[in-house]
Amino acid sequence: MNRRQIMRGLALASLVPFGAGRARADASLSLLVAGPDGEQTSRWGNACALAMQTGFPGAPSIITQPVGGLDGVTGANRLDALVVPDGKTAAILPGAVMIAWLTGDSRVHFDPTRWVPLMAGGNSGVLVVRLPAGTAPNLQNLQSLAPLKLAADQPQSNDLAALLALARLGVPVAPVFGLRGTEAKTRAFIAGEVDAVFLCGEGVPEDIAPLTASGGVPVFSLGLQQADGNVGADPMFPDLPAAADFGASVSPFLDSAYRAAAAAARLDFILVLPRLTDPGIIAQWRQAAGEALVMPALAAAASASSITLQPAPAVVAGLSALNLAPADQANMLAYLTKNFGWQPG
């Protein structure tokens, strides 16, 4: 079974317990899902809720409540504005909400750095470049290709991490914007319209194959956030250097901005409690989340999607990296405006 089949199976398997749970009067916990019913974050929400409920005394049903669109902003706003921190409601959100917050989206009325992390799903992010035959994937050879034609959606996307990683290294980039999704970027690369693609999200190992078949070479990855605050090798690409280790930064603010964008882009989903939740309740949820991490069904879904399940300490470190100083965030937005003509939505 491929990753899409397994995730569909999880979604179908979850319908019985959650459908039954909605009819139970004693259901006491809920999971706000920042995204439409049946979509990616919703499927992870169903799987996580089902895996976590046995970790609580009495195994109460955890009822999922989908809210808002795919980018999760509406759900994140609801979490900060309406969810009471009484321990009865947690939330699962896509990593896209972090990008929206980081880039100053006008719709954002939440602060993810104040949430209480329980667990997360970390995804890969890999830059693939068309290099001349026999050329090593090092910084000098990458700089020789400048300006690098990079397939990109827009700055307010996971591509922000790639744009800032290259800026941090002093590699001039000529992004080709408007290429949304892996298929569009891959077609552009195969057609010779771009020379580089940043793959980020679920299933990167399988999505990279058509690029390497067309002369693409993986250059660096975003790595994987560690609980101690460091970024280690991506377990899906253990031989690739992390972007921050590929070369020194040409600017302190670009270094900070890249690390924040990478922390956001590495998150496929994040499960949190609202701020001000009682520490005793936090401990209960974290225990349930920790037990869920090793549940066979959740582990199988993660493996099929090339997702690394992460406990609370690693997620705390990631949110810390996301918390840019106001001056660095302002400089990052000014950089995006100056170099790419981009303005926050």
Side-chain angles (χ1 to χ4, degrees):
M1 295 177 71
N2 62 29
R3 63 188 173 94
R4 294 176 178 86
Q5 289 172 322
I6 287 182
M7 288 307 292
R8 280 198 297 268
L10 276 173
L12 290 173
S14 67
L15 289 178
V16 174
F18 289 118
R22 289 189 178 96
R24 286 176 52 180
D26 62 345
S28 59
L29 300 177
S30 62
L31 184 64
L32 185 153
V33 176
D37 188 21
E39 295 295 336
Q40 183 170 302
T41 304
S42 172
R43 296 195 301 271
W44 281 117
N46 289 344
C48 289
L50 187 60
M52 283 194 302
Q53 63 187 22
T54 58
F56 290 93
S61 295
I62 301 177
I63 309 305
T64 54
Q65 301 174 347
V67 175
L70 288 171
D71 63 11
V73 170
T74 298
N77 283 335
R78 179 167 296 192
L79 171 61
D80 264 20
L82 298 177
V83 174
V84 177
D86 58 5
K88 294 184 182 299
T89 302
I92 185 169
L93 311 103
V97 302
M98 311 298 177
I99 297 290
W101 177 81
L102 189 61
T103 53
D105 191 312
S106 60
R107 300 170 300 151
V108 168
H109 302 291
F110 57 84
D111 183 351
T113 66
R114 301 172 74 182
W115 295 335
V116 181
L118 301 174
M119 62 178 286
N123 56 235
S124 297
V126 176
L127 181 73
V128 180
V129 179
R130 182 182 287 109
L131 295 170
T135 300
N138 57 38
L139 179 57
Q140 181 179 358
N141 290 331
L142 193 61
Q143 290 172 333
S144 71
L145 300 176
L148 188 65
K149 289 191 294 182
L150 174 70
D153 178 358
Q154 59 171 330
Q156 189 173 314
S157 71
N158 284 340
D159 292 322
L160 177 67
L163 293 169
L164 292 174
L166 292 166
R168 175 189 174 280
L169 294 169
V171 178
V173 178
V176 179
F177 288 123
L179 297 173
R180 176 170 295 182
T182 298
E183 291 184 4
K185 294 176 180 179
T186 299
R187 285 196 300 268
F189 185 86
I190 293 173
E193 298 167 1
V194 298
D195 298 317
V197 173
F198 179 61
L199 294 176
C200 189
E202 298 188 7
V204 169
E206 65 185 74
D207 291 337
I208 209 169
L211 299 177
T212 56
S214 298
V217 177
V219 173
F220 58 66
S221 79
L222 297 184
L224 182 70
Q225 182 68 57
Q226 307 293 321
D228 62 4
N230 294 317
V231 174
D234 184 333
M236 306 294 169
F237 299 91
D239 297 328
L240 275 186
D245 299 327
F246 198 72
S249 178
V250 300
S251 161
F253 97 80
L254 284 174
D255 186 58
S256 297
Y258 160 71
R259 292 177 188 276
R266 278 191 291 264
L267 284 175
D268 190 69
F269 67 86
I270 182 172
L271 202 149
V272 302
L273 288 168
R275 68 185 185 94
L276 302 180
T277 301
D278 180 84
I281 295 174
I282 293 171
Q284 291 178 11
W285 276 91
R286 284 186 171 170
Q287 178 177 334
E291 293 180 14
L293 291 174
V294 296
M295 288 288 185
L298 195 60
S303 176
S305 301
S306 301
I307 293 297
T308 302
L309 298 174
Q310 295 182 287
V315 191
V316 170
L319 290 187
S320 178
L322 188 70
N323 196 11
L324 268 181
D328 285 341
Q329 188 169 15
N331 285 333
M332 180 195 71
L333 295 177
Y335 176 87
L336 295 177
T337 299
K338 177 182 177 182
N339 289 275
F340 308 125
W342 183 84
Q343 296 285 348

